[in-house]
Amino acid sequence: EGTPPGKVLEIATKFSNRSKALASDGFIVYDIQDEPGRSSDATPRPFPFRRLMDSSPYAALLARTSGKQCLVYKCVADEQFDEWITTAHTNHGISAINVVGRVSSEGTYQGPTISDAMARVNATPALKFGCVCIGERHTLEAAQARGKPYPTEHLNMMRKQSAGAEWFVSQAIYDIEPTIQLLKDYAALCRQHGKTPRKVILTFAPVSRTKTLNFIKWLGVKVPQDIEESILQHERPVDKSIDILCDHLRTILKECAGIGVPLGVNCESVSIYKAEIDGVHELFRRLQRILLDARGSPWKVVWVDSSLLTSTSKNENGPPRQALEDDRDNGNKKTVGTVNSASNSFHTVAPMMMGVVLGGALVGAGVMLGSSVSGGSRK
């Protein structure tokens, strides 16, 4: 907040230029909050809070400089929530947001409840929304702390899906067992109710120092003690954390194969520490390979000059324009790049995000997954 417009443009352009080397679909821009409900004398905030500019105009700027779409986070703890939605959509062209609840039920907050916020967003034409899912809430310990006999995060996901949520984004994952169980329970609940599971975006954040580890734990991420020690005791901690997170994704994909929940990946750095920012780019490349390899069929990334693509995903004569390439290994023609405009419904793009942080704004980059798309770039 208070950064001169020219400097904001410089930051956005710098990130966009560096991200050109990644086969990304788009970006995630977070709504950074102070979150005083997390702090106490025993657990102070590791990094001082810096108020940032509003997420929607920055997302609009990033979309213009990169030619890619943005998913914008918005916390409901805002008494001007309705006005924000209108301005973000009408003035800044935002077509997809992630609705985030209050950090704690304690204390006094302004703004609507999460249920009211979802209803208001869902009533806005051409605006799609998703929500968060948190594996740490899906444990017996967390359930008992809330007076519940069993974990209920999968029930929260179903409630949000019924309210119109079209995807879910997890918080950073270091303890994978709760996430695996959450995905399995969510899949079973969807089968029970005859619902199609929404895509779940798994978030991974490399770390390289004690201060960053303390911060992600302050954010509510559980980091097992053995993992923390193996990272911090390594000669190159950020490389070790990347190795661990790659193994985590492989394990999740193996354990959740066949349950019917589509998965995507979001990579983030929670600091502006150079080693961790560089690490996010490397993590992106490696997780991208793991995710695409898990599809079990040949794939490749094809670069498309976005300036040559149309601004809409459909033409008057037929279906979306696509970059097609013959797959010589199995004789099938496979879509390797799909063109979608920023004005189109985001539900076809948002669930594939991967991310990185620069200059205090979290952004994402990803690859399109599914039965017909194996990778590419889009306008």
Side-chain angles (χ1 to χ4, degrees), residues 62-74:
L62 192 59
R64 289 195 299 272
T65 59
S66 66
K68 298 176 182 179
Q69 302 182 61
C70 289
L71 168 61
V72 182
Y73 267 55
K74 180 57 184 176

Side-chain angles (χ1 to χ4, degrees), residues 14 20-21 60 76 92 98-99 116 126 143 153 174 189 204 261 311 314 361:
K14 181 179 179 181
K20 288 178 181 177
V76 302
H92 302 303
N98 233 44
V99 180
D116 288 341
E153 182 67 355
Y174 268 91
L189 187 63
F204 299 95
V261 179
S311 61
K314 292 184 178 181

Side-chain angles (χ1 to χ4, degrees), residues 297-299 325-334:
S297 61
W299 63 272
E325 184 159 327
D326 286 324
D327 182 345
R328 301 300 181 184
D329 291 324
N330 60 17
N332 295 326
K333 183 159 286 190
K334 184 178 299 183

Side-chain angles (χ1 to χ4, degrees), residues 25-38:
D25 283 326
F27 305 114
I28 300 175
V29 179
Y30 277 63
D31 179 17
I32 306 299
Q33 301 288 314
D34 188 10
E35 305 186 63
R38 296 189 186 275

Side-chain angles (χ1 to χ4, degrees), residues 30-52 103 209-220 269-272 360:
Y30 277 63
D31 179 17
I32 306 299
Q33 301 288 314
D34 188 10
E35 305 186 63
R38 296 189 186 275
S39 299
S40 66
D41 292 338
T43 56
R45 199 180 203 278
F47 293 122
F49 174 67
R50 293 189 302 168
R51 188 172 299 279
L52 303 178
V103 65
R209 52 184 181 158
T210 301
K211 191 171 185 178
T212 304
L213 269 169
N214 288 340
F215 185 55
I216 65 172
K217 289 190 290 185
W218 179 85
L219 289 171
S269 170
V270 298
S271 80
I272 57 174

Side-chain angles (χ1 to χ4, degrees), residues 91-110:
N91 295 358
H92 302 303
I94 303 303
S95 60
I97 69 171
N98 233 44
V99 180
V100 184
R102 301 175 177 89
V103 65
S104 172
S105 59
E106 301 178 358
T108 302
Y109 293 90
Q110 302 294 325

